[in-house]
Amino acid sequence: QPADLESFSAELTGLEIITDPAQLTKLSQDYYTFSPILQPLLNDKRGDVVVRPTTEAEVIQAVTACVKWRLPLTVRGAGTGNYGQCVPLQGGVILDLSKMQAVKWVKPGIACVEPGVKLAALDKETRGSGWEIRMLPSTYRTATIGGFIGGGSGGIGSITYGQIRDRGNLLAVRVVTVEDEPRVIELRGDDVYKVAHAYGTNGIITELEIPLAPAYAWAEAIVAFPDFMTAARFGQVFSDSDGIIKKLVCICADPIPTYFAAFRNVIPVGSHCALVLVAESSLEPFAALVNEYNGTICLQKSAQEASKGSTLVEYSWNHTTLHARSVDPSLTYLQTMFPSDKELKLVERMYQHFGDEVMMHLEFIRMGGEAIPAALQIVRYTTPERLAEIIRYHEDHGAFIANPHTFVLEDGGRKTVDVEQLRFKERVDPYGLLNPGKMRAWAERK
Ligand code: FAD
């Protein structure tokens, strides 16, 4: 270990410190492996030491030592991000917050939690008092709430509540600054977006207030359709059916269902399918809608049955890609927002244009009050040039791509420099120690 690291570790008496090389490797990685572009860029990146605080006071202790020795500091939740968000580009310290798991309180409609609580555990706890988390990533079993806010965007539930970035979906955060004498700052209201989705470049979140939704018993269903556009239109109309309570509207074009080993004998060969979560109390009107679109319900589970074993949640969002890649690791994916259009003309055009090369996987979400098709298409990867060409073709035709093949914050979903985030970083991380290399605006500031 270099001298500064030894001195650093010596100042962390009482904290859990990990230096075992195999553990260091594991705790330096995330799921950037979904991207053939990111793999060669990130495969050899390692932190030098992992620190696992259990309290905010221990976070401050670790940060004080980091600042003293000017060590890069990368915050980590469960490390399930897809863009190398928590991969330390310049080594240094990995601050693993997965042990800070307290649920501080649950009131009607709001929970106050520590960042390391797993989303599944939090959901289970709030359900006890009749509330649930508004939206979950499909990694909810392992992912932490801090990591979801720091690096995620939305997921199961976004069809009703929109995305994390929508005002009201995050109420407050406590942030530890990375200064000679770290401060604790509380941000509320719109100010929370100074640190949300900033990849941990803007302060260390040690507590969050999260809004909740009334809890429902969610039934699950797979509906098969003989042609893709009927499945897609069903998805749009189901999403627009305000009287039917739902949490997931995922549409997969053939051959995606063939990657779902568990459903090989369930989904008819050659079908396109909808994976849905619908409130048990809405099953009747749901069945009527399926009927109207000549769909076939080939699997249906009550909430009780769905709570045991595998759930459709873990076939949706980026789990769809996970299943596809487990069959064919050369596959990768895109993240797209199609414009609001009830006829889904651009979806149809892209579906027909790319055929099997870009397999259509829609996730309907609510945006600006309308249900729109977002997509996590599965791509048969050939070369970086071809991937860039596919992205450009989508953009040229009016689809928005949040590029999952970059670890740079601004080059992914944002596209522009967030001046507020940059100003906030200047205040809370004057030495630029937090997750260096991820925020372009910081590297290029004058
Ligand atoms: P990490 O990967 O550990 O961290 C993510 C980012 O947040 C990092 O930049 C980290 O530095 C920062 N961070 C973590 N904790 C803090 C903190 N306390 N303070 C400040 N910054 C912090 N994402 C979605 O949004 N929706 C999905 O449906 C979805 N599905 C997925 C499916 C699969 C199969 C995979 C592999 C990924 C998926 N993801 C999805 C991405 C990811 O799983 C989620 O965003 C997840 O919530 C991240 O949580 P985590 O604890 O693993 O975060």
Side-chain angles (χ1 to χ4, degrees), residues 182-225:
R183 290 170 295 155
V184 179
I185 300 180
E186 190 188 30
L187 301 174
R188 306 194 69 89
D190 288 353
D191 283 346
V192 298
Y193 292 101
K194 291 177 176 166
V195 295
H197 204 79
Y199 294 1
T201 60
N202 256 349
I204 300 159
I205 302 171
T206 51
E207 196 177 285
L208 310 93
E209 274 178 41
I210 303 290
L212 304 171
Y216 283 92
W218 296 108
E220 303 189 344
I222 302 180
V223 189
F225 297 88

Side-chain angles (χ1 to χ4, degrees), residues 30-31 34 74-87 97 115-116 119 136-139 142-156 164 195 198-201 203-206 208 316-322 376 435 438:
D30 66 8
Y31 283 81
F34 279 24
T74 304
V75 186
R76 181 182 175 93
T80 66
N82 280 119
Y83 332 124
Q85 290 108 305
C86 66
V87 175
L97 298 186
L119 291 157
L136 294 162
S138 58
T139 44
T142 47
T144 66
I145 182 76
F148 188 41
I149 298 300
S153 57
I156 297 93
I164 295 172
V195 295
Y199 294 1
T201 60
I204 300 159
I205 302 171
T206 51
L208 310 93
S316 70
W317 287 81
N318 225 9
H319 266 75
T320 314
T321 316
L322 179 88
L376 293 155
N435 212 352
K438 301 291 171 64

Side-chain angles (χ1 to χ4, degrees), residues 265-309:
N265 299 320
V266 172
I267 305 172
V269 177
S271 310
H272 311 264
C273 70
L275 311 181
V276 308
L277 259 64
V278 57
E280 282 186 353
S281 52
S282 286
L283 277 170
E284 253 185 84
F286 171 73
L289 184 68
V290 169
N291 210 20
E292 198 174 306
Y293 279 78
N294 294 319
T296 308
I297 295 180
C298 44
L299 179 107
Q300 188 174 310
K301 283 184 179 180
S302 67
Q304 177 70 25
E305 289 163 342
S307 70
K308 298 185 200 114

Side-chain angles (χ1 to χ4, degrees), residues 65-84:
C66 269
V67 175
K68 183 169 172 191
W69 301 101
R70 298 287 193 273
L71 297 171
L73 173 57
T74 304
V75 186
R76 181 182 175 93
T80 66
N82 280 119
Y83 332 124

Side-chain angles (χ1 to χ4, degrees), residues 101-385:
Q101 295 184 348
V103 177
K104 300 225 158 158
W105 46 259
V106 180
K107 291 187 203 165
I110 308 180
C112 179
V113 299
E114 287 188 340
V117 64
K118 287 185 174 27
L119 291 157
L122 176 57
D123 198 62
K124 194 169 171 200
E125 180 144 355
T126 58
R127 249 166 209 285
S129 47
W131 298 91
E132 64 180 54
I133 305 180
R134 287 185 176 179
M135 65 197 72
L136 294 162
S138 58
T139 44
Y140 73 109
R141 277 190 216 268
T142 47
T144 66
I145 182 76
F148 188 41
I149 298 300
S153 57
I156 297 93
S158 288
I159 184 55
T160 305
Y161 294 100
Q163 296 174 281
I164 295 172
R165 67 173 182 207
D166 290 312
R167 179 185 277 154
N169 280 333
L170 172 63
L171 299 175
V173 286
R174 264 169 85 93
V175 176
V176 170
T177 68
V178 180
E179 300 171 279
D180 295 302
E181 286 179 27
R183 290 170 295 155
V184 179
I185 300 180
E186 190 188 30
L187 301 174
R188 306 194 69 89
D190 288 353
D191 283 346
V192 298
Y193 292 101
K194 291 177 176 166
V195 295
H197 204 79
Y199 294 1
T201 60
N202 256 349
I204 300 159
I205 302 171
T206 51
E207 196 177 285
L208 310 93
E209 274 178 41
I210 303 290
L212 304 171
Y216 283 92
W218 296 108
E220 303 189 344
I222 302 180
V223 189
F225 297 88
D227 75 276
F228 173 71
M229 282 315 293
T230 307
R233 293 204 176 90
F234 167 82
Q236 181 72 55
V237 172
F238 177 36
S239 300
D240 290 337
S241 297
D242 295 335
I244 306 180
I245 296 164
K246 62 197 87 68
K247 199 166 185 175
L248 174 71
V249 185
C250 163
I251 310 292
C252 297
D254 178 64
I256 296 174
T258 63
Y259 297 126
F260 301 157
F263 303 128
R264 218 156 262 159
N265 299 320
V266 172
I267 305 172
V269 177
S271 310
H272 311 264
C273 70
L275 311 181
V276 308
L277 259 64
V278 57
E280 282 186 353
S281 52
S282 286
L283 277 170
E284 253 185 84
F286 171 73
L289 184 68
V290 169
N291 210 20
E292 198 174 306
Y293 279 78
N294 294 319
T296 308
I297 295 180
C298 44
L299 179 107
Q300 188 174 310
K301 283 184 179 180
S302 67
Q304 177 70 25
E305 289 163 342
S307 70
K308 298 185 200 114
S310 72
T311 149
L312 288 188
V313 166
E314 287 164 302
Y315 287 84
S316 70
W317 287 81
N318 225 9
H319 266 75
T320 314
T321 316
L322 179 88
H323 290 286
R325 282 178 45 79
S326 70
V327 175
D328 179 354
S330 74
L331 298 173
T332 187
Y333 76 114
L334 283 182
Q335 299 178 141
T336 309
M337 299 271 197
F338 286 101
S340 168
D341 165 27
K342 305 291 181 209
E343 291 177 49
L344 303 172
K345 283 199 214 76
L346 191 55
V347 170
E348 182 162 24
R349 181 161 182 179
M350 294 297 133
Y351 173 69
Q352 282 169 352
H353 180 81
F354 288 108
D356 216 23
E357 185 184 10
V358 181
M359 296 172 252
M360 198 56 94
H361 162 203
L362 302 177
E363 292 289 349
F364 282 87
I365 64 170
R366 197 169 170 87
M367 202 162 92
E370 289 185 284
I372 64 144
L376 293 155
Q377 305 98 316
I378 295 174
V379 178
R380 290 192 196 280
Y381 179 73
T382 47
T383 63
E385 294 74 25

